[in-house]
Amino acid sequence: MNELIPTADVLPAAPWIFRALQALVFPIHLLFMNMLLGCAGVALYAGMRRAGPRRHLAHALARALPVLMAIAVNFGVAALLFVQLLWGPFLYTSSILSAVFWISIIPLLIIAYYALYLYDFRFERLGRLRQIVIFAAALIFLVIPFIFTNNMTLMLNPQAWEGYFDSSAGIFLNWADPTLLPRYLHFILGSLAVGGLFVALYIRHRGRHDFFVEEEGVRLGMAWFSWLTLIQMIDGMVFLVLLPAPVQKLLLGGSPHGTGVFLLGFVLAVLALVAGFRGRVTLAAVVVVPLVFVMSEVRAVVRSGYLEPHFSLEMVPVSTQLSPLAMFLAVLVLGAAVISWLLWRCAQALRFGR
């Protein structure tokens, strides 16, 4: 046992309950985060044209960006809370090691949020400056995932924590980990791809729009989705090769569960790729949603493989407290209902131009 690993906190209920909740909310966060980053990227690209369908496409996407960010952040907070609850000894330590970057996420999110609202509400008034505004937001959406990737890879490698004794300033970056950049690129490429698919869906079903804007949005969105998904699959193979042998083995025959979800994810990715290149927007979306959930489970298998020498959820002490858990679940259900209603209202407003 590594002496640098803190003692796990006591849980108020069985770990599998929080693990199941984390497996539910994290993929939803990923879906909206992917939509946000990809939508911002497409808006930046389309906005390079001063007139024509692409310029109108950028204007149409501006209305969706603040909504996507609000939902992505809310589900991201829930997912992060469950990670802290289950793997706190590791996440807290890695967060302290990279504290300067980790705490910078909050002001970066505030700046990005303001930029998206400015891009939406002042689209016409900004003129050429709107490209600078959306570029700043998109750049922040590239920086924040790198900070998260650095933290998540660092929490999986307690041996690297000894670097604190050489530098305790809270600026530790996990460059020694060979999977850092492939893991980061895997997320970014996937985000841009799913974002492209969202653009195609959004423009097709938005209502009250120009035919040429719809045609350009669907064509551009599906091109982003198809080619970036292909590049992401290649990067995924690189990422797999760079994983430590024991972790890699879990996905390649060493674990029925790990191998099963990995193969299912690969099959779904191929189906999504075929649907993308054939321009089947709805089919691609139907495949991508379960794909994100499956790949989130692959991520969980990789995390367990990394931490297995040091920790497993079965080691976490439990002191059952049913009343707080019941209250939490009640609030969770109520919150999900409210968010679902808000999503429906936003969809109606965006569709009919209100």
Side-chain angles (χ1 to χ4, degrees):
M1 184 70 177
N2 192 320
E3 295 180 353
L4 296 177
I5 301 175
T7 304
D9 293 329
V10 179
L11 295 181
W16 68 265
I17 296 177
F18 302 107
R19 171 71 178 83
L21 291 171
Q22 196 265 345
L24 172 65
V25 299
F26 179 64
I28 298 175
H29 163 67
L30 282 183
L31 282 168
F32 281 101
M33 191 65 234
N34 291 351
M35 295 177 196
L36 175 63
L37 177 56
C39 191
V42 174
L44 176 63
Y45 176 74
M48 293 179 181
R49 297 287 181 89
R50 298 183 183 178
R54 286 192 180 179
R55 187 249 184 211
H56 293 294
L57 173 62
H59 196 180
L61 295 178
R63 299 195 64 194
L65 285 168
V67 177
L68 291 175
M69 182 165 182
I71 300 172
V73 169
N74 277 277
F75 277 102
V77 170
L80 184 60
L81 287 175
F82 289 127
V83 173
Q84 291 175 338
L85 188 65
L86 294 170
W87 297 280
F90 299 89
L91 183 62
Y92 291 145
T93 305
S94 60
S95 300
I96 291 171
L97 289 170
S98 55
V100 173
F101 303 110
W102 188 244
I103 201 67
S104 69
I105 290 176
I106 297 175
L108 286 174
L109 283 174
I110 294 173
I111 295 171
Y113 214 168
Y114 183 84
L116 293 185
Y117 272 109
L118 185 64
Y119 184 71
D120 178 15
F121 293 169
R122 297 291 185 268
F123 188 90
E124 297 291 354
R125 294 185 188 180
L126 285 172
R128 297 181 182 180
L129 290 177
R130 61 175 169 262
Q131 283 299 97
I132 298 176
V133 172
I134 190 61
F135 173 78
L139 182 61
I140 290 174
F141 295 147
L142 292 176
V143 171
I144 291 177
F146 179 79
I147 297 174
F148 267 93
T149 303
N150 177 76
N151 200 353
M152 296 305 162
T153 57
L154 188 56
M155 70 171 276
L156 300 179
N157 189 11
Q159 291 80 7
W161 297 354
E162 296 179 3
Y164 172 81
F165 299 106
D166 298 323
S167 175
S168 59
I171 54 174
F172 192 100
L173 292 176
N174 198 27
W175 292 116
D177 190 332
T179 69
L180 176 64
L181 290 181
R183 182 190 289 253
Y184 170 70
L185 288 175
H186 195 68
F187 173 82
I188 294 301
L189 292 169
S191 295
L192 293 173
V194 174
L197 178 60
F198 168 77
V199 168
L201 278 169
Y202 172 68
I203 292 300
R204 172 172 286 184
H205 299 288
R206 184 173 58 98
R208 292 189 180 183
H209 54 271
D210 186 273
F211 169 78
F212 295 104
V213 176
E214 177 183 337
E215 184 181 42
E216 181 66 17
V218 172
R219 186 195 66 79
L220 185 60
M222 293 307 291
W224 276 56
F225 172 72
S226 304
W227 288 106
L228 288 171
T229 298
L230 179 60
I231 298 172
Q232 186 201 27
M233 291 180 68
I234 296 172
D235 176 76
M237 293 300 105
V238 175
F239 180 33
L240 177 65
V241 170
L242 292 176
L243 288 173
V247 179
Q248 189 182 109
K249 187 178 179 180
L250 294 175
L251 304 177
L252 299 177
S255 163
H257 173 66
T259 304
V261 293
F262 177 74
L263 290 178
L264 178 59
F266 182 79
V267 171
L268 290 174
V270 172
L271 290 176
L273 194 63
V274 172
F277 277 114
R278 291 187 175 181
R280 304 286 296 276
V281 180
T282 303
L283 178 60
V286 169
V287 174
V288 162
V289 172
L291 174 60
V292 172
F293 277 83
V294 170
M295 294 310 295
S296 296
E297 186 60 26
V298 172
R299 185 176 183 270
V301 172
V302 170
R303 178 177 53 227
S304 298
Y306 267 99
L307 296 180
E308 186 177 1
H310 313 284
F311 176 84
S312 67
L313 292 180
E314 289 73 19
M315 299 168 55
V316 179
V318 177
S319 177
T320 304
Q321 301 177 40
L322 295 181
S323 55
L325 178 62
M327 182 176 293
F328 170 80
L329 293 176
V331 172
L332 179 65
V333 172
L334 179 62
V338 172
I339 291 176
S340 298
W341 178 79
L342 287 173
L343 282 174
W344 178 76
R345 292 293 298 167
C346 286
Q348 293 298 310
L350 290 172
R351 181 174 178 79
F352 295 107
R354 294 195 294 267

